[in-house]
Amino acid sequence: MYAGVDTGGRGLFWDVLAGRAAPPPAAVTLGWELVAIDPERGTIEVAFSAGESFLNPAGVIQGGFLAAMLDDTMGPALVATLPPGRFAPTLDLHVQFVRPARPGRLLGKGRVVHRGTEVCHLAGELLDVQGRTVAVATATAVIRAAPGM
Amino acid sequence: MYAGVDTGGRGLFWDVLAGRAAPPPAAVTLGWELVAIDPERGTIEVAFSAGESFLNPAGVIQGGFLAAMLDDTMGPALVATLPPGRFAPTLDLHVQFVRPARPGRLLGKGRVVHRGTEVCHLAGELLDVQGRTVAVATATAVIRAAPGM
């Protein structure tokens, strides 16, 4: 759990978590917070705060913002496993929307399905506060040198 | 072109365009604006304003926000063809990220590939101001009664 996370690790993810680097603006916009992480297993749980500014004309969260949350669930599951100076841009993202999501708290569960030397396969799920699946996703990411590092 | 668009049409898309309904918050957040539309051909061009609040740790637009823009490109291409009281939630969204995108203006091109009675197939592309492809996407949407209509 977050309370027990060792923030002594190095690398982009851990530097943000320990307050040594500013949180990425996209994560702030999505209300990202860490719930639990296990870098050895490649799993993560995060929470989001879905705001009114994400609503579509039907009055539910626009699917793209759910995609953004899933990207920010799966990406960190991988980035947490990277050494300093490495980053992992997403190449490909596939999202299936299962049910409408209302503003409020959403839980993201992500995992590294396969961590190659460069190419990595990721999977994730977004749940509402009742534990119902809102959307599921897969992604492909590639490990690269982080810009400016 | 937008200047020549007949806003006398009815339905969700046209009501927003003509100022008869408030623009959806997600579109406002993404800086959505209409550039051109041809409902008979099922094509649309829109522009977005990618803000600093969409940046990932690498200093480029987080892919999920590009996905949100593509959703808000392809969705309107379809919604513009719907009669009043109908909406078309996205079931499935697949995005391929071609190159990093910086804050600023991005152009979305969307089209209805196939418009079924209920199930519709959509495609879209996001370009930077130099006309370079930033991301491409496909989506599946389904025509439903709009909530509260």
Side-chain angles (χ1 to χ4, degrees), chain A residues 7 15 28-29 37 44 52 71 73 104 118:
Chain A
T7 58
D15 288 348
V28 174
T29 300
I37 187 161
I44 198 169
E52 302 277 340
D71 193 27
T73 297
E118 285 197 336

Side-chain angles (χ1 to χ4, degrees), chain A residues 12 24-27 29-30 52-58 62-65 67-68 71-72 87 90-97 147, chain B residues 12 24-27 29-30 52-58 62-65 67-68 71-72 87 90-97 147:
Chain A
L12 195 56
T29 300
L30 298 171
E52 302 277 340
S53 62
F54 302 163
L55 293 180
N56 72 10
Q62 194 247 29
F65 285 89
D71 193 27
D72 226 348
F87 187 59
T90 306
L91 297 183
D92 183 289
L93 175 65
H94 181 212
V95 184
Q96 292 172 305
F97 302 100
Chain B
L12 196 55
T29 300
L30 298 171
E52 302 277 340
S53 62
F54 302 163
L55 294 180
N56 73 9
Q62 195 246 28
F65 286 89
D71 193 26
D72 226 347
F87 187 60
T90 306
L91 298 183
D92 184 287
L93 175 65
H94 182 211
V95 185
Q96 293 171 304
F97 302 100

Side-chain angles (χ1 to χ4, degrees), chain B residues 65-105:
Chain B
F65 286 89
L66 301 178
M69 293 176 195
L70 283 157
D71 193 26
D72 226 347
T73 296
M74 296 183 286
L78 174 60
V79 172
T81 71
L82 300 181
R86 292 280 155 178
F87 187 60
T90 306
L91 298 183
D92 184 287
L93 175 65
H94 182 211
V95 185
Q96 293 171 304
F97 302 100
V98 176
R99 59 166 50 84
R102 312 278 165 191
R105 187 176 171 90

Side-chain angles (χ1 to χ4, degrees), chain A residues 26-112:
Chain A
V28 174
T29 300
L30 298 171
W32 189 99
E33 61 179 276
L34 183 65
V35 174
I37 187 161
D38 185 337
E40 290 193 8
R41 292 182 60 200
T43 60
I44 198 169
E45 287 185 38
V46 294
F48 299 95
S49 177
E52 302 277 340
S53 62
F54 302 163
L55 293 180
N56 72 10
V60 298
I61 307 297
Q62 194 247 29
F65 285 89
L66 300 178
M69 292 177 196
L70 283 158
D71 193 27
D72 226 348
T73 297
M74 296 183 285
L78 174 60
V79 172
T81 72
L82 301 181
R86 293 280 154 178
F87 187 59
T90 306
L91 297 183
D92 183 289
L93 175 65
H94 181 212
V95 184
Q96 292 172 305
F97 302 100
V98 176
R99 59 165 53 82
R102 311 278 165 191
R105 187 176 172 89
L106 292 169
L107 184 69
K109 295 185 179 184
R111 70 188 173 96
V112 180

